[in-house]
């Protein structure tokens, strides 16, 4: 009964956060554990009491400041100097910029928020299908939690009691593999559909574009420098980045007035609260599911099927894919790790780093799968393209990730070689 | 009347949420500055997290008024007109149910009547009800957590107001937030 | 009845194994009338959330740090008196004293939970990025702590700049220098390799870190006398086993850390000058149990 009600509410477009909450309420009712109602409000609130979540409004604000202050436009303009004339150049720029950002940002949703607002309009202006533009950006955002730093790996490392530094190393090869596979996807789509071809800048234009973007380079420098020189944690560097973006947009480019700030904060508040509220609802939902020990029952079922680690990982992949459709990212890592990791390590002798990478990448994928795909909705909100339209162009990227997942499941070395 | 109240309240919620978004940024920057001076403030993290929680619930309630919530519209987009508005009504009704549930949860949680019955004596109330909500401390701020959690009341009441207004036909106005 | 028991430690951790052993023995003793489902690794929420769930009765049982309990019942803060125990075995003797057990009596009224007995994690140590010659070198250092008053008061008394930071950020913060030092136990220093980005490990043993086995007050009220006796006794027995585990494992962890070749300093109470006196001045006001526990400490010192 519960899954049916869940699907029905989702399909008549009840807000996703409320679908999760109401399903939890319904499920508590059915199970008769009505004492959980006394903790419902508290649990929903505490779903937000995570330091790492602060990165979401902060990076959204950075994105707003970079866009409104004219910074993103100049950065992309500068990138055009190098590959602007190639066929499909801007799509590759999008991917490269995402790789660069992934080395700064640790959360896919935060990165998608920044990049979708900046890249989608640019690509659309140049004649790309806007669904494809948003999809490329959303896929590029998946690099954020795989290429270090990564909020998800940190949480997995803590849960698995393995060193976080090593866990970061484990993500490098898979991250590069992903980037390469995305480049291939773009090339193949370009081959069949044909991409718009841009024009090369004249020498004078090139020089102007490069000069104009110099102040914008302060942001990545400040973020990396801030972290490396011990001034700020990754979350804090987001706040610093938005401060710099504001100062540059206001004092140097003269495109951002302090009087416009309130509107920016309002937009940040609305967009961030949408995402964070979903996480709150998902945490209540996960709490109820865990409380009824559903995942444990599921795990018992898996062990009865196979004794081969590769087959086990494939099954886990399928299960996680389903989980990722319903529960997102970090919440899912927290829910799943304690249940599946002991089975993986004890019953199948699987390396915890390999398992962590496979599991996290799989759940990252879930960020872009409907019906509950925060990343997909962020991309949609920030780019103004409907989730469905994005998903239509997105599936080849998701397929590429699926192939990489199979490779990572088969060859442990891809995760453990650098450790 | 209802529509107007909903609109005004949504504007208040949104303004507060925007101010909170600004204060989150300032608090985190304050953290960087004070720590680099070797005088880290103990309470900044917790306050920033609460600011985010308040921003989130205020924003989530206002989003109901502005029709800005994340939802799956694959099916509803292709529905013919009379069915479409019927489904929309049903959604408003479901949202109202959720909001009323939240009020009920807050009521059970804060148990205001029970507390009054014990003459607002928290110890006596706790002893009789095993409800320790009023004793729960914040970790670093030195105030009672019950104050921080009170946003759940504002959220529940705001969501009720907006969903009632939506249900009785006042069109959500999306102009404010674009 | 099937009870739900929550804790923050991962599967295979000493505490989690004790919880599972408790469940197994409870099922045997009760002739399968009762069973326990263990929820490790914060699956049901962090300690504050679990405590709130114990209060409402949504959660039946938990193994929890005394730190979380002491936020609500100040008397328990006395366990964190610096150098209350001179080594880990001594800490075990203090936790097994009658004075310690008597403190549990106030939990039902103050916090809404029933305390069955104490367990333990390792003693607190200091890991520093820079060279630490003397306690003066700690003054002014940005030192990561868990946000919790007794630890805060200790480092304030030393003159360090205590900096709260969530555990997942600690490794990078130490690597990059957002903090200069961290307060941590030997187990995590070794397992999470916090020593990698440190120059000096100070084995200070300055504070014990007790754990307590809890049952929801609401749930307890609904149990029969026999069930209460059986559950109380078995849980106390199994949380107590963690004390022996840590007494046994603490030294090997410290040896392994020392063997990494980092500068390793072993210090005692004198190293911190009058910080301990300052701490006691603050906490004799806050906790009525401090004098009694200090007495127990002196009596059991050997
Ligand atoms: Na990253
Ligand atoms: Na999903």
């Amino acid at each position: 009964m519960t899954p049916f009600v869940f699907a029905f509410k989702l399909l008549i477009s009840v807000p996703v956060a409320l679908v999760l909450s109401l399903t939890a309420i319904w499920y508590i009712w059915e199970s008769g554990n009505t004492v959980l109602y006394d903790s419902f409000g508290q649990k929903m609130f505490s779903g937000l009491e995570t330091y790492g979540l602060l990165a979401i409004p902060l990076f959204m604000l950075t994105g707003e400041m970079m866009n409104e202050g004219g910074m993103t436009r100049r950065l992309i303009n500068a990138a055009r100097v190098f590959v602007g004339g190639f066929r499909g150049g801007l799509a590759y720029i999008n991917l490269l910029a995402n790789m660069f950002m992934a080395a700064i940002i640790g959360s896919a949703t935060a990165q998608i928020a920044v990049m979708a607002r900046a890249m989608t309009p640019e690509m659309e202006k140049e004649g790309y299908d806007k669904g494809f533009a948003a999809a490329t950006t959303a896929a590029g955002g998946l690099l954020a939690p795989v290429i270090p730093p990564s909020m998800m790996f940190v949480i997995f490392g803590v849960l698995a009691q393995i060193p976080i530094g090593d866990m970061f190393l484990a993500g490098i090869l898979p991250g590069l593999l992903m980037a390469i596979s995305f480049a291939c996807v773009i090339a193949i789509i370009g081959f069949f559909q044909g991409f718009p071809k841009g024009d090369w800048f004249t020498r004078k234009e090139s020089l102007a574009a490069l000069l104009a973007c110099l102040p914008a380079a302060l942001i990545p420098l400040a973020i990396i420098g801030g972290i490396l020189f011990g001034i700020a944690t990754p979350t804090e560097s987001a706040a610093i980045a938005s401060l710099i973006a504001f100062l540059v947009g206001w004092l140097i480019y003269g495109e951002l007035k302090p009087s416009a700030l309130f509107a920016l904060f309002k937009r940040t508040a609305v967009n961030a609260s949408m995402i964070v509220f979903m996480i709150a609802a998902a945490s209540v939902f996960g709490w109820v599911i865990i409380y009824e020990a559903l995942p444990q029952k599921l795990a018992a079922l898996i062990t009865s099927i196979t004794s081969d680690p590769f087959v086990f990982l494939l099954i886990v992949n399928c299960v996680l894919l389903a989980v990722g459709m319903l529960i997102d990212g970090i919440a899912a890592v927290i829910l799943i790790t304690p249940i599946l990791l002991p089975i993986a390590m004890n019953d199948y002798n699987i390396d915890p780093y390999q398992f962590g990478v496979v599991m996290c990448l799989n759940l990252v994928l879930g960020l872009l799968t409907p019906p509950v795909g925060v990343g997909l909705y962020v991309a949609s909100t920030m780019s103004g393209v409907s989730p469905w339209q994005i998903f239509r162009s997105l599936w080849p990227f998701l397929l590429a990730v699926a192939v990489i997942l199979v490779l990572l499941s088969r060859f442990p070395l891809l995760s453990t070689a650098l450790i | 009347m209802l529509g107007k109240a909903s609109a005004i309240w949504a504007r208040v919620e949104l303004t507060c949420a925007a101010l909170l978004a600004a204060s989150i940024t300032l608090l985190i920057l304050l953290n960087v500055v004070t720590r680099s001076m070797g005088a880290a403030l103990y309470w900044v993290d917790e306050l920033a997290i609460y600011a985010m929680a308040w921003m989130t619930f205020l924003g989530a309630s206002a989003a109901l008024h502005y029709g800005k919530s994340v939802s799956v519209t694959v099916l509803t987009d292709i529905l013919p007109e009379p069915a479409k508005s019927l489904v929309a009504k049903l959604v408003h009704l479901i949202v109202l149910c959720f909001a009323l549930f939240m009020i009920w949860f807050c009521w059970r949680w804060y148990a205001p009547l029970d507390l009054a019955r014990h003459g607002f004596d928290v110890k006596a109330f706790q002893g009789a009800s095993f409800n320790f909500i009023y004793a729960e401390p914040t970790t670093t701020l030195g105030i009672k957590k019950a104050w921080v959690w009170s946003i759940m009341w504002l959220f529940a009441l705001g969501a009720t107001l907006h969903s009632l207004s939506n249900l009785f036909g006042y069109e959500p106005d999306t102009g404010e937030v674009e | 009845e099937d009870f739900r028991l929550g804790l923050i430690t991962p599967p295979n951790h000493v505490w989690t194994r004790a919880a599972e052993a408790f469940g197994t023995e409870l099922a045997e003793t009760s002739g399968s009338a009762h069973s326990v489902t263990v929820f490790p690794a914060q699956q049901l929420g962090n300690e504050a959330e679990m405590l709130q769930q114990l209060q409402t009765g949504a959660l039946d049982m938990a193994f929890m740090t005394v730190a979380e309990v002491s936020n609500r019942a100040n008397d328990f803060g006395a366990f964190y008196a610096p150098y209350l125990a001179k080594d880990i075995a001594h800490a075990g003797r203090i936790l097994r004293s009658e004075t310690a057990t008597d403190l549990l009596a106030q939990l039902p009224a103050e916090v809404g939970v029933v305390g069955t007995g104490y367990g333990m994690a390792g003693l607190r140590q200091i890991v520093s990025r820079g060279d630490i010659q003397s306690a003066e070198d700690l003054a002014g250092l940005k030192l990561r702590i868990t946000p919790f008053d007794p630890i805060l008061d200790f480092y304030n008394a030393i003159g360090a700049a205590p900096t709260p930071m969530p555990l997942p950020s600690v490794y990078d913060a130490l690597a990059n220098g957002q903090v200069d030092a961290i307060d941590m136990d030997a187990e995590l220093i070794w397992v999470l390799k916090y020593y990698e980005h440190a120059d000096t490990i100070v084995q200070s043993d300055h504070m014990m870190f007790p754990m307590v086995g809890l049952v929801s007050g609401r749930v307890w009220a609904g149990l029969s006398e026999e069930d209460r006796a059986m559950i109380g006794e078995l849980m106390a027995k199994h949380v107590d086993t963690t004390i022996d585990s840590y007494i046994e494992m603490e030294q090997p962890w410290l040896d392994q850390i020392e063997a990494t070749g980092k500068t390793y300093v072993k210090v005692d109470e004198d190293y911190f000058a009058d910080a301990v006196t300052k701490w006691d001045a603050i906490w004799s006001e806050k906790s009525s149990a401090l004098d009694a526990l200090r007495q127990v400490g002196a009596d059991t010192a050997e």
Side-chain angles (χ1 to χ4, degrees):
Chain A
M1 189 63 191
T2 310
F4 176 75
V5 177
F6 182 87
F8 176 73
K9 281 180 298 202
L10 215 48
L11 284 177
I12 63 169
S13 81
V14 175
V16 173
L18 300 200
V19 174
L20 290 169
S21 309
L22 284 163
T23 307
I25 294 172
W26 181 284
Y27 197 77
I28 293 172
W29 192 275
E30 266 194 342
S31 68
N33 273 315
T34 46
V35 65
L36 295 188
Y37 287 148
D38 290 344
S39 293
F40 199 95
Q42 172 248 317
K43 188 65 206 180
M44 185 175 260
F45 186 96
S46 66
L48 306 185
E49 290 179 87
T50 311
Y51 182 78
L53 282 183
L54 287 168
I56 292 178
L58 290 175
F59 277 119
M60 282 188 170
L61 185 64
T62 310
E64 292 282 348
M65 299 271 194
M66 284 176 75
N67 292 331
E68 294 292 315
M71 187 172 281
T72 324
R73 187 160 48 77
R74 287 176 174 83
L75 271 174
I76 296 168
N77 235 358
R80 188 165 292 147
V81 172
F82 301 103
V83 280
F86 294 128
R87 191 165 289 282
L90 204 48
Y92 294 109
I93 295 233
N94 190 345
L95 188 58
L96 273 179
N98 264 303
M99 257 181 96
F100 182 57
M101 290 294 263
I104 299 167
I105 297 182
S107 132
T109 36
Q111 177 156 325
I112 293 171
V114 173
M115 295 302 288
R117 199 170 185 91
M119 284 308 299
T120 320
E122 287 295 323
M123 288 180 68
E124 202 186 338
K125 226 186 294 170
E126 231 173 68
Y128 290 84
D129 169 63
K130 67 179 177 177
F132 173 75
T136 311
T137 320
L142 294 188
L143 295 170
V146 183
I147 294 175
S150 157
M151 259 158 62
M152 219 181 228
F153 282 0
V154 167
I155 288 166
F156 178 83
V158 168
L159 290 173
Q161 285 211 313
I162 55 176
I164 287 136
D166 289 351
M167 192 61 216
F168 280 178
L169 290 179
I172 293 179
L173 284 182
L176 292 177
L177 267 180
M178 270 171 79
I180 293 169
S181 75
F182 289 168
C184 295
V185 169
I186 293 174
I188 292 171
I189 293 178
F191 179 78
F192 285 110
Q193 296 184 351
F195 282 136
K197 184 174 180 332
D199 301 312
W200 293 106
F201 278 161
T202 64
R203 176 179 294 245
K204 205 171 136 207
E205 282 169 335
S206 298
L207 212 61
L210 287 178
L211 267 179
C213 107
L214 268 187
L218 273 175
I219 290 206
L221 281 182
I223 291 179
I224 295 174
I227 295 172
L228 289 184
F229 291 109
I231 298 161
T233 65
T235 302
E236 289 166 348
S237 68
I240 295 180
S242 53
L243 179 67
I244 296 177
F246 166 66
L247 291 176
V248 170
W250 175 35
L251 297 175
I252 300 182
Y253 295 151
E255 291 189 17
L256 187 59
K257 299 277 171 295
S259 58
L261 273 185
F262 189 70
L264 289 193
F265 281 123
K266 209 148 82 169
R267 214 151 53 204
T268 304
V270 169
N271 290 331
S273 66
M274 260 164 38
I275 304 309
V276 181
F277 181 55
M278 258 199 287
I279 293 175
S283 85
V284 180
F285 180 72
W287 174 61
V288 173
I289 295 241
I290 284 273
Y291 195 85
E292 297 298 333
L294 290 187
Q296 279 94 328
K297 290 166 193 162
L298 193 77
L301 190 73
I302 299 179
T303 39
S304 70
I305 298 176
T306 179
S307 62
D308 180 55
F310 179 54
V311 177
F312 167 75
L313 277 178
L314 286 184
I315 294 174
V316 166
N317 273 319
C318 295
V319 173
L320 289 183
L321 213 57
V323 169
M325 288 185 183
L326 298 180
I327 309 175
D328 263 324
I330 286 172
V333 172
I334 294 170
L335 297 178
I336 303 285
T337 309
I339 300 152
L340 288 187
L341 181 67
I343 303 175
M345 287 174 67
N346 303 335
D347 299 337
Y348 295 97
N349 221 356
I350 294 172
D351 186 278
Y353 297 100
Q354 184 197 6
F355 188 77
V357 169
V358 169
M359 191 185 80
C360 290
L361 182 52
N362 201 317
L363 293 173
V364 161
L365 191 62
L367 289 173
L368 295 186
T369 57
V372 184
V374 171
L376 190 58
Y377 299 129
V378 173
S380 161
T381 312
M382 298 315 248
S383 66
V385 185
S386 82
W388 176 239
Q389 204 180 345
I390 298 179
F391 192 73
R392 248 184 354 211
S393 303
L394 188 61
W395 66 265
F397 292 100
L398 300 187
L399 200 64
V401 178
V403 171
I404 289 178
L405 272 173
V406 175
L407 289 176
L408 290 174
S409 304
R410 182 68 188 81
F411 304 108
L413 216 60
L414 290 175
S415 314
T416 57
L418 293 181
I419 301 169
Chain B
M1 187 56 210
L2 197 56
K4 194 154 197 187
S6 170
I8 292 174
W9 185 240
R11 188 161 298 182
V12 171
E13 287 173 324
L14 206 54
T15 306
C16 293
L19 292 174
L20 285 163
S23 63
I24 293 170
T25 319
L26 292 177
L27 281 169
I28 299 296
L29 289 173
L30 179 69
N31 224 1
V32 178
V33 173
T34 53
R35 197 186 45 232
S36 61
M37 297 189 319
L41 295 172
Y42 190 46
W43 43 266
V44 171
D45 284 353
E46 194 181 18
L47 191 58
I49 287 171
Y50 292 158
M52 176 182 65
W54 277 63
M55 177 199 81
T56 300
F57 287 112
L58 290 171
S61 171
L64 293 175
H65 174 82
Y66 296 115
K68 272 280 278 180
S69 303
V70 175
S71 56
V72 179
T73 55
V74 187
L75 207 69
T76 47
D77 281 348
I78 54 171
L79 279 181
E81 190 34 60
K84 202 175 205 168
S85 54
L86 202 69
V87 166
K89 279 269 184 267
L90 181 60
V91 170
H92 293 322
L93 190 66
I94 290 175
V95 174
L96 179 62
C97 281
F98 165 78
L100 292 175
F101 264 117
M102 288 309 295
I103 291 185
W104 183 48
F105 296 154
C106 286
W107 184 266
R108 287 178 65 130
W109 193 19
Y110 276 74
L113 269 189
D114 272 354
L115 184 66
R117 209 171 289 140
H118 288 94
F120 296 97
D121 178 348
V122 170
K123 284 254 163 176
F125 165 76
Q126 281 172 193
S129 65
F130 273 99
N131 183 340
F132 286 77
I133 176 176
Y134 297 105
E136 183 70 8
T138 50
T139 316
T140 60
L141 295 177
I143 59 166
K144 290 293 180 198
K145 193 80 177 260
W147 294 110
V148 182
W149 279 329
S150 64
I151 182 62
M152 299 311 287
W153 275 108
L154 291 180
F155 171 65
L157 293 170
T160 308
L161 176 65
H162 297 317
S163 56
L164 271 176
S165 159
N166 289 342
L167 190 62
F168 290 107
Y170 303 94
E171 277 305 302
D173 109 63
T174 47
E176 184 73 10
V177 280
E178 264 324 313
Chain C
E1 195 173 348
D2 183 41
F3 297 107
R4 294 174 171 82
L5 189 156
L7 24 61
I8 55 169
T9 52
N12 282 326
H13 185 273
V14 171
W15 292 7
T16 315
R17 285 205 302 264
E20 275 154 5
F22 160 66
T24 310
E25 189 168 351
L26 181 63
E28 279 166 16
T29 313
S30 66
S32 298
H34 298 306
S35 60
V36 176
T37 307
V38 177
F39 294 87
Q42 310 201 33
Q43 284 181 11
L44 293 178
N46 62 27
E47 291 197 329
E49 293 167 43
M50 281 196 280
L51 195 59
Q52 290 146 22
Q53 290 168 30
L54 286 173
Q55 290 168 343
T56 62
L59 179 62
D60 303 301
M61 302 164 174
F63 290 2
M64 197 173 281
T65 63
V66 168
E68 193 60 46
V69 176
S70 76
N71 283 339
R72 293 161 186 79
N74 272 332
D75 277 358
F76 286 83
F79 282 112
Y80 299 93
Y83 295 101
L84 176 61
K86 64 176 175 52
D87 56 41
I88 189 127
H90 187 201
R93 290 194 294 278
I94 294 170
L95 288 171
R96 282 163 172 159
S97 71
E98 206 167 306
T99 313
T101 309
D102 288 348
L103 268 178
L104 294 173
Q106 57 170 284
L107 283 181
E110 293 287 324
V111 193
V113 293
V114 174
T116 59
Y118 296 100
M120 183 161 81
L123 301 179
R124 307 303 290 181
Q125 322 292 356
I126 300 170
V127 177
S128 161
R129 276 168 65 87
D131 232 12
I132 302 287
Q133 298 294 341
S134 68
E136 277 96 77
D137 291 338
L138 285 171
L141 285 195
K142 288 173 286 182
L143 197 146
R144 183 267 173 182
I145 59 168
T146 31
F148 160 56
D149 282 344
I151 296 187
L152 178 73
D153 290 334
F154 177 66
Y155 284 109
N156 275 336
I158 293 173
T163 306
M165 188 169 276
L167 191 64
S169 316
V170 172
Y171 184 89
D172 293 324
L174 191 65
N176 297 326
Q178 279 103 21
V179 293
D180 304 311
I182 59 175
D183 177 282
M184 194 59 64
D185 60 10
E187 179 180 17
L188 290 189
I189 295 173
W190 176 247
V191 175
L192 296 183
K193 300 196 180 172
Y194 287 123
Y195 58 82
E196 279 182 344
H197 295 285
D199 293 321
T200 309
I201 285 102
V202 182
Q203 188 197 335
S204 52
D205 294 335
H206 56 274
M207 201 177 267
M208 65 158 100
F209 218 67
M211 172 265 270
V212 60
L214 299 175
V215 182
S216 157
R218 277 189 182 174
V219 171
W220 189 259
L223 292 173
S224 70
E225 278 302 331
E226 304 90 79
D227 281 350
R228 287 183 192 173
M230 176 169 53
I231 290 170
E233 210 168 285
L234 287 179
M235 190 189 280
K237 173 182 156 190
H238 285 280
V239 289
D240 187 84
T241 60
T242 62
I243 295 181
D244 292 325
S245 303
Y246 275 93
I247 291 175
E248 187 189 319
M249 295 179 323
E250 183 91 340
Q251 196 53 51
W253 278 320
L254 289 169
D255 292 342
Q256 281 167 302
I257 295 168
E258 189 171 5
T260 58
K262 301 279 175 181
T263 310
Y264 190 91
V265 198
K266 190 168 175 355
V267 304
D268 59 13
E269 186 169 354
D270 302 332
Y271 185 80
F272 294 103
D274 58 348
V276 180
T277 326
K278 280 190 198 158
W279 192 95
D280 277 13
I282 299 172
W283 277 85
S284 57
E285 303 279 320
K286 290 191 189 173
S287 166
S288 64
L290 182 56
D291 290 342
L293 273 182
R294 283 274 183 212
Q295 189 57 50
V296 172
D299 293 345
T300 53
E302 283 183 9

